[in-house]
Amino acid sequence: ILSPKKSITEIQSELDRSLQTKQSIESGQVRLTSQMEARMTGENFDIVAVTPETLAISGSEDTQWTWDVTAKQGGPQQLHLTVSAILFVNGETTPRVVSEFDRKVTVNVGLGHRVASFMGGNWQWLWATLVVPAVGWWWKRTRGKKEAEHS
């Protein structure tokens, strides 16, 4: 959130109320221009911008960026947020980084997700070692019962 009128404390209080879980919040002061870009990146994350990354900045209202962030793996990970002013130079727009935030997060992966991920990544191996022998055992057992009934 960028706000031309609210203090950092007021913005942090709003975020505390709106977040579903208690998180630590990073904040800082940045110089505002009429157009700015916020870009979030992280090597082990799928990150999709919900709002456009480049937005017009109001002189009286808050501007907010939102992303959907999904971890690709568990454990300690790094998120990076870059805030840039969009400047008009030599007839073209160009970004100028005004602030960067790095955040270490620990991703906890539940048992169900771990099992599904393992099965999804190893289905060929599981098929060959578990399913094929089980089908063979079932087929042999079923065929044996039919032969016993006909005798």
Side-chain angles (χ1 to χ4, degrees), residues 39-74:
R39 181 163 292 163
M40 186 175 292
T41 57
E43 185 177 328
N44 292 312
F45 295 92
D46 287 324
I47 301 172
V48 178
V50 175
T51 57
E53 290 181 322
T54 302
L55 293 172
I57 304 301
S58 169
S60 60
E61 297 178 11
D62 295 352
T63 302
Q64 181 172 326
W65 285 269
T66 307
W67 296 269
D68 282 335
V69 181
T70 305
K72 293 180 184 177
Q73 65 185 46

Side-chain angles (χ1 to χ4, degrees), residues 106-136:
T106 301
V107 177
N108 296 314
V109 181
L111 178 62
H113 182 51
R114 275 191 251 163
V115 170
S117 179
F118 174 79
M119 291 179 75
N122 296 291
W123 66 270
Q124 301 94 334
W125 176 84
L126 290 168
W127 173 260
T129 59
L130 299 175
V131 176
V132 171
V135 169

Side-chain angles (χ1 to χ4, degrees), residues 38-41 67 79-83 99-103:
R39 181 163 292 163
M40 186 175 292
T41 57
W67 296 269
L79 278 171
H80 186 75
L81 175 66
T82 304
V83 179
S99 193
E100 295 181 276
F101 299 92
D102 287 314
R103 184 70 177 280

